[in-house]
Amino acid sequence: MTGGDDRTTVRRVLITIGLVLATLLGLLLVYATRRVLVWGLVAAFFAVALNPAVDWTERRLTRCRRSVATLLVFLLAFGLLGGLTTAIVLPLVRQTAQLADQLPQLIDEVQAGRGPIGGLLHRLHVLDYLRSHRGQLGAYVDRVPQPSITLLMDVASTVVGTITVVVLAYLMVLQAPRIAAGAVPLVPDRHVPRVRRIGRDCARTITGYISGNLLISLICGGLTFLVLVVLGVPYAGVIALIVAITDLIPLVGATLGAVVATGAALIQSTTAAIVTVLFFVVYQQVENHVLQPVILSRTVRLSPLTVLFSILIGVELAGILGALLAIPAAGVVQVVAREVRDQSGQERGPTPADDAAPPVRETP
């Protein structure tokens, strides 16, 4: 082997080592900043969803600057969110106050095995178990860790993350035209129409996902309201609203709402609780295998099988956040893949059909 070959081999080895180290460094950087990256990803999701509303407001209102249109849309969004929160919190506060007044009487009824809850616990022999294992349960409660500085830090981190996501989303929407104008020079002129088409289709996919998910939650909340009203459960409207909000989470949202609704129905009667559980068992199967695949396949334009697999993979990778972002992410991947496929077909050009029929020969 000559000296030139040795230098070439050493150079290739060094380049390979450098690429490996650079990849490891990039992965470490992503891991170290994963919280900020997640905040940015969630903010971008909401920014893309709200950007069409800002564009529409800017076009409809004459002499309306983009900063004013963005502020109006965000104030409207926060107003709706605040209204929903008020509609949920105020009745819950009143109901909690009533429950606090009735708590001593409820405790006496439970201990005596009377009332819907006490009767149920008595039939299930739960009260006997609690009386016989009172010492063990007390020791277990003493071992439960008390709220500490860690809990306060988690709450503070959640508040900071929420504020950061809102600010990032606002700035992304506000600077969207400048960001798009600054990105255009980085793309060759012949690819500019493709990039704009991909961006428009991706935004339509995310908007379609949000509208489809809201429609599914509206169906869930409406059916829950009807069931609770028929069963005579108090505060059916508030409970149905809570169920509709939790149902925004794919796959497990209906289950979370079912816990709240079943607890309220159990206070009414054991029969009402059983009927509520049966309703949610049936509805969740219908939602997971019929409503979500069909509605989201129309709004996001994904096949039902792709929708279901995307949700499962998202839950496995990132939990609830992955479930929320899985479907729009799959839609974006499909848009890009379709554009690449179409472009490859145009570059190859038309091909003759392989199964073309041979010419017919006329017989004299």
Side-chain angles (χ1 to χ4, degrees):
M1 181 179 294
T2 62
D5 294 337
D6 292 339
R7 286 192 296 270
T8 302
T9 303
V10 172
R11 188 183 300 110
R12 290 177 178 175
V13 171
L14 292 178
I15 291 174
T16 303
I17 294 174
L19 291 175
V20 172
L21 292 178
T23 303
L24 293 176
L25 182 61
L27 293 176
L28 290 176
L29 182 62
V30 170
Y31 180 79
T33 60
R34 62 190 182 279
R35 179 176 298 180
V36 178
L37 294 177
V38 170
W39 289 348
L41 181 62
V42 176
F45 176 81
F46 286 110
V48 173
L50 294 176
N51 189 65
V54 174
D55 292 338
W56 183 88
T57 304
E58 188 178 9
R59 289 193 307 267
R60 292 292 179 178
L61 299 181
T62 58
R63 298 181 181 179
C64 179
R65 302 175 61 182
R66 185 168 184 85
S67 58
V68 178
T70 305
L71 182 61
L72 290 176
V73 171
F74 270 76
L75 288 178
L76 178 61
F78 278 107
L80 293 176
L81 183 61
L84 291 175
T85 304
T86 303
I88 294 175
V89 171
L90 292 182
L92 285 181
V93 170
R94 291 196 297 267
Q95 189 174 6
T96 302
Q98 296 175 2
L99 180 62
D101 296 336
Q102 301 175 358
L103 188 60
Q105 180 182 355
L106 292 175
I107 293 176
D108 294 338
E109 291 181 353
V110 170
Q111 291 178 348
R114 299 192 304 269
I117 301 178
L120 178 63
L121 296 179
H122 178 72
R123 288 192 296 271
L124 297 177
H125 304 287
V126 175
L127 295 177
D128 296 337
Y129 178 83
L130 293 178
R131 294 190 186 100
S132 60
H133 296 78
R134 183 176 303 175
Q136 297 178 3
L137 294 175
Y140 176 77
V141 172
D142 293 337
R143 290 197 299 268
V144 174
Q146 300 297 322
S148 59
I149 190 65
T150 304
L151 178 60
L152 298 177
M153 291 179 62
D154 293 338
V155 173
S157 177
T158 302
V159 173
V160 172
T162 303
I163 296 175
T164 304
V165 167
V166 173
V167 173
L168 286 176
Y170 180 84
L171 294 177
M172 288 178 182
V173 174
L174 183 62
Q175 300 293 328
R178 296 183 181 179
I179 295 174
V184 168
L186 302 177
V187 181
D189 294 338
R190 60 191 181 90
H191 293 314
V192 170
R194 291 182 57 199
V195 173
R196 289 180 175 174
R197 185 166 56 252
I198 291 174
R200 183 174 59 252
D201 292 343
C202 291
R204 187 182 299 113
T205 297
I206 295 177
T207 305
Y209 166 72
I210 293 178
S211 60
N213 209 10
L214 289 176
L215 177 59
I216 294 173
S217 298
L218 181 62
I219 294 174
C220 180
L223 293 178
T224 303
F225 177 75
L226 292 177
V227 171
L228 295 181
V229 168
V230 171
L231 294 175
V233 178
Y235 302 102
V238 177
I239 297 172
L241 186 58
I242 295 175
V243 171
I245 293 176
T246 57
D247 193 63
L248 292 172
I249 305 173
L251 290 182
V252 297
T255 303
L256 297 177
V259 174
V260 178
T262 303
L266 184 61
I267 298 177
Q268 179 69 17
S269 66
T270 305
T271 304
I274 295 175
V275 173
T276 304
V277 170
L278 293 177
F279 161 73
F280 276 102
V281 169
V282 175
Y283 173 78
Q284 188 168 11
Q285 298 302 317
V286 174
E287 179 182 295
N288 292 340
H289 299 91
V290 178
L291 291 179
Q292 281 190 353
V294 172
I295 294 179
L296 294 181
S297 64
R298 294 178 180 272
T299 56
V300 190
R301 298 179 182 179
L302 291 173
S303 66
L305 184 61
T306 304
V307 170
L308 186 57
F309 267 110
S310 300
I311 295 175
L312 294 176
I313 293 174
V315 170
E316 186 68 23
L317 292 177
I320 295 178
L321 180 61
L324 291 173
L325 301 180
I327 297 176
V332 170
V333 171
Q334 176 177 281
V335 169
V336 176
R338 183 174 60 246
E339 188 66 29
V340 172
R341 181 196 61 194
D342 295 342
Q343 183 66 23
S344 300
Q346 293 176 4
E347 292 177 354
R348 287 196 302 266
T351 58
D354 295 333
D355 55 349
V360 179
R361 296 176 58 186
E362 297 182 358
T363 58

